[in-house]
Amino acid sequence: MTTLTADTLASRLSEPRLLRHQSYINGAWVEGPRSLVINNPATGEDIAHLADVGAEGARSAVEAAQTAFERWKKVSPYERGKILMRWHDLILAHADDLATILTAEMGKTYREARGEIVYGAAFIEWSAEEAKRIHGETLTPPFPGSRGWTTRAPIGVVACITPWNFPNAMITRKCAPALAAGCTMVIKPAPETPLSALALAELAEEAGVPKGVFNIVCGDAQEIGPVLTGAPEVRMIGFTGSTPVGKLLMRQAADGVKRVALELGGNAPFIIMDDADVDTAAAGIVASKFRVSGQTCVSANRIIAQPGIYDDLLAALKTKVDALKVGDGFAGDTDLGPLIHTQAVERVDGLVRRAVDGGARIVSGGHSLVDELGGAFYAPTLIEGGTPEMDLACFEIFGPVASVYKMDSEAEILRFANDTPYGLAAYLYTRDIGRVHRMTEGLDYGMIGVNAPMVGSAATPFGGVKESGIGREGGKWGVEEFTELKYVLLGGVDT
Ligand code: ADP
């Protein structure tokens, strides 16, 4: 296995200037005590020490964003679109370096990391094009002699707190529509993966994003979070992460009646009906479950199969799971990288152990690979015989563990699928058009993939219902989130 340390990471990049170690506030690279240590999850080695700018840094970023907002909202949408398109082009031109940084700090395979860069850039392209289409409507005159119309005004300064599993795309998915709409941003990236955020800031500056419009503050979440949620200048909090932190931010934002956009946890059912094509379904499950080692909020969490295809599906899955190669994300033939850290390995292993104690059977894997491979690796795992009451079925696994449940009737499947506080993504494999309608209407989820293991794209609405979140990212819906609807009534027109 290759090793990657602070010394060797920079030498891998064609543009080491992208490897930033300071926060980016008001167009300047800002120092602070270097207390954030960034780890390579494949080896456990330190790859960077980063400045923590703390509450003071967060306050100055908010002030800078507020000052910049007064100018940025008046920049023509056509011009904002052009700047965003330059940012998009620069990101794609530097995709190899951005993917290298991403794999180094987060662990996902280089192929997945490069895919994320392209996916993340697509939101910038889409929003750049949309900037000139953010407009209101002329209304049918509500009173005699009057005229009415609406406009869409940028909401103001937006603070975003982002997670480590998509260190690039979770930022672009929020920032691109926000900047297109005329908002300015303060971003607090995850402490595990700030380097990808800072590399994006470097390229935003090169693209011509004016100072103060896009700020990145790195540091302690407990210190920075309350500054962002408490500042009166901040009009919206965008967050992707765990449900408990999302609820906390929502409570903090309530005092200032700030808008919140929350993309929280999931517990995705992946349903295979007995008329489905087994090989296609098995390939879909592997794509959904083992992408990013299962560390996505839309990963299949409960695989539910009807008895007619159950045995064939399990056999097809076992063949595929046993063939998955685990290792350093930089090795060319790796299918699965490490988990984010060893605590995640312990948490996932705990879920598996408790399921086995409760009567579930391990078909493949079912153990940590930390001793064999170092870092934070877990074996791709297939389990059957779990029950709906087990933690494995109730909690988001966030690891490479596929748990298959056998259920018969549509009603029973829907009951199990919906029996969770979450409602982000669900998947359904069937070739029966009647079932497609009955089941998609019955599933309480924000996104449903029918015969499709992945649902996200720059053009479509991403988000959940129930405790999976509020709001949508992507497409025109993602842009609208960052605007206020303003209504104007003009009287006395016909007199
Ligand atoms: P995970 O457990 O997967 O890291 P979290 O919800 O804890 O998910 O983290 C997502 C983001 O939320 C990260 O940027 C993290 O630093 C941030 N975060 C965690 N706790 C708080 C908090 N109390 N206030 C503000 N941000 C927080």
Side-chain angles (χ1 to χ4, degrees), residues 75-97:
V75 172
S76 126
Y78 288 85
E79 184 57 26
R80 289 202 294 261
K82 277 186 201 152
I83 293 172
L84 283 174
M85 201 57 99
R86 280 202 294 273
W87 194 25
H88 162 266
D89 295 346
L90 281 166
I91 288 170
L92 290 189
H94 294 84
D96 290 341
D97 283 342

Side-chain angles (χ1 to χ4, degrees), residues 244-268:
V245 174
K247 288 180 181 178
L248 174 78
L249 295 174
M250 196 173 170
R251 277 195 290 272
Q252 291 176 353
D255 254 355
V257 197
K258 297 182 201 314
R259 185 178 297 174
V260 290
L262 305 173
E263 207 266 273
L264 310 176
N267 183 355

Side-chain angles (χ1 to χ4, degrees), residues 60-361:
S60 58
V62 169
E63 273 168 34
Q66 177 61 33
T67 306
F69 176 62
E70 295 306 320
R71 293 192 301 272
W72 182 244
K73 70 179 179 188
K74 292 185 188 137
V75 172
S76 126
Y78 288 85
E79 184 57 26
R80 289 202 294 261
K82 277 186 201 152
I83 293 172
L84 283 174
M85 201 57 99
R86 280 202 294 273
W87 194 25
H88 162 266
D89 295 346
L90 281 166
I91 288 170
L92 290 189
H94 294 84
D96 290 341
D97 283 342
L98 294 172
T100 301
I101 291 169
L102 206 164
T103 294
E105 66 178 346
M106 189 272 161
K108 68 174 65 173
T109 66
Y110 182 77
R111 185 175 38 80
E112 289 173 327
R114 223 179 169 291
E116 180 181 337
I117 304 301
V118 173
Y119 171 72
F123 285 88
I124 304 181
E125 181 185 45
W126 207 96
S127 301
E129 292 162 346
E130 189 70 358
K132 54 182 171 282
R133 295 188 200 105
I134 303 170
H135 42 57
E137 291 170 86
T138 306
L139 308 178
T140 304
F143 306 109
S146 74
R147 301 289 185 272
W149 64 92
T150 62
T151 56
R152 289 233 163 236
I155 191 163
V157 176
V158 180
C160 285
I161 298 177
T162 55
W164 49 261
N165 61 343
F166 288 88
N168 176 291
M170 290 307 104
I171 292 178
T172 60
R173 207 158 84 170
K174 293 168 175 53
C175 292
L179 297 187
C183 300
T184 55
M185 314 283 304
V186 178
I187 297 128
K188 192 211 79 64
E192 295 86 352
T193 57
L195 301 175
S196 292
L198 296 166
L200 277 174
E202 170 80 28
L203 296 176
E205 185 177 74
E206 193 178 330
V209 174
K211 71 173 190 173
V213 169
F214 183 81
N215 304 277
I216 308 253
V217 290
C218 302
D220 180 31
Q222 317 277 347
E223 255 192 64
I224 292 173
V227 173
L228 301 181
T229 52
E233 299 91 337
V234 173
R235 292 310 317 145
M236 174 170 169
I237 304 290
F239 173 72
T240 299
S242 65
T243 297
V245 174
K247 288 180 181 178
L248 174 78
L249 295 174
M250 196 173 170
R251 277 195 290 272
Q252 291 176 353
D255 254 355
V257 197
K258 297 182 201 314
R259 185 178 297 174
V260 290
L262 305 173
E263 207 266 273
L264 310 176
N267 183 355
F270 199 116
I271 303 164
I272 307 97
M273 308 303 281
D274 52 16
D275 65 284
D277 180 78
V278 167
D279 282 337
T280 309
I285 291 165
V286 170
S288 168
K289 177 72 254 183
F290 294 99
R291 185 167 69 107
V292 195
S293 298
Q295 301 171 108
T296 88
C297 50
V298 291
S299 290
N301 216 55
R302 294 167 294 159
I303 299 155
I304 311 165
Q306 284 193 304
I309 44 87
Y310 183 88
D311 291 342
D312 289 347
L313 181 75
L314 200 68
L317 274 176
K318 178 165 171 51
T319 306
K320 287 186 190 302
V321 172
D322 287 345
L324 292 171
K325 182 152 187 334
V326 182
D328 190 311
F330 285 112
D333 58 348
T334 300
D335 298 305
L336 265 75
L339 301 193
I340 188 68
H341 37 49
T342 49
Q343 298 95 292
V345 173
E346 283 158 25
R347 194 188 50 76
V348 170
D349 198 49
L351 288 173
V352 171
R353 297 274 76 79
R354 291 201 292 285
V356 170
D357 290 347
R361 184 178 78 88

Side-chain angles (χ1 to χ4, degrees), residues 269 271 273 302 304 407-420 426 428 435 437-445 448 466:
I271 303 164
M273 308 303 281
R302 294 167 294 159
I304 311 165
M407 284 191 185
D408 202 354
S409 71
E410 284 181 21
E412 184 189 11
I413 291 171
L414 279 177
R415 212 167 27 249
F416 178 39
N418 289 334
D419 186 18
T420 165
L428 171 70
R435 273 182 167 159
H437 284 282
R438 286 193 303 278
M439 300 288 282
T440 56
E441 285 160 21
L443 285 164
D444 296 334
Y445 285 82
I448 304 173
K466 294 157 71 179

